[in-house]
Amino acid sequence: MKSRKLLMIPGPIEFTPEVMRAMGMPTASHVAPNFIEAFGLALERLREVFLCPDGQPFVVAGSGSLAMDMAAANLVEPGDKALVVNTGYFGDRFAAILGRYGTEVTEVRAAAVGDEPELAEVEAALKADQFKVMTITHVDTSTAVGADVQALGALGQQYGALVVVDGVCSVAGEEMRQQEWGIDLALTASQKALGVPPGLALVVAGPRAMDTFRQRKAPVLNYYADWTQWLPIMEAYEERRPSYYGTPPVNLIWALNVSLGQILEEGMDARFRRHRWLSDALKAGIEALGMSQVPASPSKTATTLTAPYYPAGVDAAVLKEISQAGVILAGGLHPEIKARYFRIGHMGAVTPSDILTTVGAIEHGLAQVGYGFEFGAGLAATQEVLG
Ligand code: PMP
């Protein structure tokens, strides 16, 4: 029997064989012509994947938290004001990072876990003060709540705040049109829908964000994340010139270039549609098995992950049984409800058969822990949506 299990957590995800081959190539010099070409191409492709033709991409070694840190460090100065639209764990993190740079942070919080703040509340906050930056977590990975980035972004623009989107659990999966939606900066990490092993922090900054950076009075308070250093490096690679600041993670960037090529080959619209379709199929299976979900309503639910509550009488022990059946899922993350729910990631190269396997393994796990349900009900509902 194969020992390989299907990894269905909200990152790291399953990567394509082509991406993994790039990870295994003999590492080249960071100024080797084939590496410079791949890095330059990856930067060009990022504009297409983020749908931000006028954006400036930054790719550095690090995780998604570094991308958040980079956004904050370069855009705010001590004494600036920021508004954090907080839908969970990663909203808290953005507030903490902004605070670390001396920003005065105001948060608009959802009334309850699984909800998102009303647009009117966000607008009231924007009216009440002048914020330099407004942050939104597109998909909060702790709750599977998907924020209405388009509407929130429009509000931020209307009131003159730079709109910053944490797209770690959304970019290249959940629909996001950075330029069209007026998002001044979007960021992500490699290990999620972008389909590359962990280790890259990625940011695309639009013209208003770059202008804000250029007009800074105080130096950037983070040495490693400073765009003063990184901008010339990114420009050099795009112009296919050798350069150096911090050694780039060569194999990860090769892998990024391969994955971006695969993403663009599928096409962004088709990719957003596939994520929605597979998400709907999985969620139908979950509901048919009698499980409710953390997001308060279907319109607030992400398409890159699903967060079901355990049914009555079931707890985290079921995850072990599901793993025995060959599928690895994640436990809860949000401190208020951590023990009551679990999370299923379905992004990147995920296929209909991955979804069926997952629902099948969940049924197996539930049966093992003695939960009463009609065998096959989840699979039937999933099949119905898959068509
Ligand atoms: N923001 C969101 C929405 C995330 O899901 C995560 C990671 N799960 C992060 C930020 C932080 O990314 P990393 O773990 O790569 O630092």
Side-chain angles (χ1 to χ4, degrees):
M1 192 163 104
K2 284 190 284 185
S3 59
R4 179 100 178 79
K5 293 190 179 190
L6 186 65
L7 187 58
M8 296 293 284
I9 66 171
I13 62 160
E14 295 262 325
F15 307 116
T16 66
E18 296 77 14
V19 163
M20 293 316 288
R21 270 204 289 282
M23 291 300 294
M25 274 163 53
T27 304
S29 155
H30 59 288
V31 292
N34 66 335
F35 176 67
I36 293 176
E37 176 56 30
F39 202 163
L41 193 53
L43 291 167
E44 289 163 8
R45 287 173 163 170
L46 275 176
R47 287 198 187 84
E48 292 179 58
V49 168
F50 279 67
L51 297 164
C52 191
D54 296 338
Q56 173 59 54
F58 294 89
V59 180
V60 300
S63 78
S65 305
L66 176 67
M68 298 166 81
D69 210 2
M70 179 180 262
N74 286 280
L75 294 183
V76 299
E77 305 187 31
D80 282 344
K81 292 179 179 174
L83 182 69
V84 172
V85 180
N86 194 329
T87 41
Y89 187 90
F90 292 103
D92 292 348
R93 183 171 298 188
F94 231 149
I97 293 172
L98 285 159
R100 196 62 77 85
Y101 291 110
T103 314
E104 212 180 288
V105 179
T106 301
E107 294 182 57
V108 186
R109 287 180 166 271
V113 177
D115 233 321
E116 62 172 311
E118 299 291 332
L119 281 179
E121 288 173 69
V122 177
E123 180 160 20
L126 284 164
K127 261 190 193 150
D129 212 337
Q130 184 60 49
F131 296 100
K132 185 177 192 184
V133 165
M134 163 180 164
T135 71
I136 308 160
T137 314
H138 193 176
V139 171
D140 194 286
T141 323
S142 71
T143 57
V145 170
D148 186 348
V149 163
Q150 187 173 11
L152 287 166
L155 271 184
Q157 289 275 344
Q158 188 186 334
Y159 289 92
L162 285 173
V163 178
V164 171
V165 173
D166 170 353
V168 173
C169 202
S170 73
V171 168
E174 192 87 26
E175 181 174 6
M176 185 175 65
R177 302 175 184 278
Q178 185 175 347
Q179 193 151 320
E180 192 184 316
W181 291 1
I183 298 164
D184 296 298
L185 184 148
L187 62 93
T188 192
S190 50
Q191 74 272 17
K192 304 224 183 199
L194 223 42
V196 181
L200 292 177
L202 305 103
V203 170
V204 175
R208 287 203 326 153
M210 292 311 294
D211 285 347
T212 303
F213 162 70
R214 288 195 183 92
Q215 286 158 20
R216 288 182 68 91
K217 293 185 185 70
V220 173
L221 290 174
N222 181 319
Y223 186 84
Y224 180 69
D226 190 349
W227 287 346
T228 318
Q229 307 294 346
W230 287 114
L231 182 59
I233 305 297
M234 298 301 133
E235 288 171 344
Y237 276 110
E238 268 208 84
E239 290 162 14
R240 311 300 198 260
R241 286 187 285 110
S243 66
Y244 167 74
Y245 175 55
T247 307
V250 172
N251 289 67
L252 278 170
I253 286 170
W254 271 333
L256 173 69
N257 188 38
V258 170
S259 191
L260 293 173
Q262 292 179 330
I263 291 168
L264 292 171
E265 200 176 323
E266 179 175 17
M268 297 315 295
D269 288 339
R271 197 167 173 90
F272 299 146
R273 267 199 310 277
R274 175 170 57 83
H275 277 79
R276 176 160 297 284
W277 173 52
L278 296 179
S279 171
D280 286 349
L282 177 73
K283 288 173 170 69
I286 291 295
E287 266 168 44
L289 291 171
M291 286 181 268
S292 60
Q293 295 171 46
V294 176
S297 76
S299 67
K300 296 188 163 88
T301 304
T303 63
T304 49
L305 86 153
T306 301
Y309 282 109
Y310 297 117
V314 175
D315 62 20
V318 72
L319 298 182
K320 208 163 161 208
E321 300 297 339
I322 296 169
S323 169
Q324 298 282 330
V327 178
I328 298 171
L329 305 180
L333 179 63
H334 197 291
E336 281 179 45
I337 51 169
K338 202 172 163 52
R340 292 171 43 209
Y341 78 111
F342 63 108
R343 295 172 303 144
I344 308 158
H346 34 82
M347 55 190 124
V350 64
T351 64
S353 78
D354 293 338
I355 299 295
L356 286 166
T357 303
T358 303
V359 176
I362 292 172
E363 289 200 2
H364 173 84
L366 289 172
Q368 292 298 308
V369 298
Y371 174 64
F373 66 101
E374 189 194 330
F375 241 143
L379 282 166
T382 296
Q383 295 276 29
E384 200 69 48
V385 177
L386 290 177

